Amino acid sequence: MTQKTIDYYLAPQSPWTYFGHARLVAMAQKYGATIRIKPMDLGKIFPLSGGLPLPKRAPQRQSYRLTELARFRDHLQVPLHVQPAFFPVAGDPAARVIIAVREADGQAAAVSFAGKVLAGVWADQRNIADVDTLKAILIECGLPATLYEDSLAESVQALYDADTQSAIDQQVFGSPSYVVDGELFWGQDRLEFVERKLAS
């Protein structure tokens, strides 16, 4: 059987991505699938897809979002602060570090680091736009803090732009999105369908 690949498009500040991250990793391990992590810039994707950044959404949508966060937290039994101390937060610095880790140490290391970043926002109330915080998370993952400096290179920005363009080309419009054999699945609540695809 051919090994399947999951293209994992994410924004590292997304709570929905956080909800699905550990389940995705476990699913990939179960089916022997490879995760290819692709951080994307939602600031470039939303204008093309009709999406709005959180502060610009209608009040009723913002209110319902908080209700849904609490529901999924309780349903999945995942630690989460519905309104964490550092949110909204810029995702670009963390996204570039994820890419720097991917290029230096491979996909698995980048996926693991991304999981710590996501938990940093939603479980641990850390500022993932802060240099010292990102360096601390690198060290906690057994990675050199110098990867932060590496993330500032133009070559890393070019890869971030390429991952974002890849998302656009795949018709991605939100985080998380998973692509398996050319089929798009949007949202952590679609992971059941991702599993069916992997099992087929």
Side-chain angles (χ1 to χ4, degrees):
M1 185 173 67
T2 304
Q3 184 182 49
K4 290 193 180 290
T5 299
I6 305 165
D7 285 337
Y8 178 26
Y9 294 95
L10 77 159
Q13 72 275 37
S14 160
W16 313 108
T17 306
Y18 166 61
F19 278 140
H21 186 84
R23 288 151 58 215
L24 175 69
V25 171
M27 193 178 294
Q29 292 174 343
K30 177 179 177 180
Y31 292 97
T34 298
I35 298 174
R36 296 193 299 198
I37 191 165
K38 296 176 179 283
M40 59 182 175
D41 184 353
L42 289 179
K44 294 180 179 178
I45 290 172
F46 279 166
L48 301 175
S49 63
L52 290 173
L54 182 60
K56 294 185 177 180
R57 295 175 195 168
Q60 59 268 44
R61 287 181 175 268
Q62 294 193 41
S63 176
Y64 186 73
R65 171 184 168 278
L66 299 179
T67 300
E68 283 279 83
L69 286 175
R71 282 177 180 158
F72 274 104
R73 175 197 63 200
D74 297 342
H75 174 64
L76 297 171
Q77 297 185 324
V78 173
L80 174 127
H81 296 274
V82 171
Q83 294 182 292
F86 297 100
F87 188 85
V89 63
D92 294 342
R96 286 190 288 264
V97 178
I98 292 169
I99 292 168
V101 172
R102 182 186 74 196
E103 296 305 299
D105 292 272
Q107 296 285 355
V111 169
S112 179
F113 175 76
K116 288 281 285 186
V117 169
L118 289 159
V121 181
W122 296 101
D124 305 324
Q125 303 202 86
R126 302 170 83 174
N127 181 4
I128 64 161
D130 175 70
V131 176
D132 291 337
T133 299
L134 288 171
K135 287 184 175 182
I137 295 173
L138 283 166
I139 292 168
E140 289 162 19
C141 291
L143 298 164
T146 52
L147 282 171
Y148 177 82
E149 278 71 32
D150 294 347
S151 77
L152 303 177
E154 290 183 9
S155 59
V156 171
Q157 181 61 49
L159 290 169
Y160 188 26
D161 292 340
D163 286 343
T164 300
Q165 185 59 51
S166 174
I168 293 168
D169 294 343
Q170 292 281 0
Q171 305 294 307
V172 169
F173 52 88
S175 178
S177 290
Y178 320 101
V179 177
V180 183
D181 291 342
E183 185 172 351
L184 173 65
F185 303 85
W186 171 54
Q188 57 86 26
D189 51 345
R190 301 303 190 274
L191 279 171
E192 178 183 346
F193 294 106
V194 174
E195 181 165 21
R196 290 181 186 180
K197 184 74 173 181
L198 294 174
S200 65

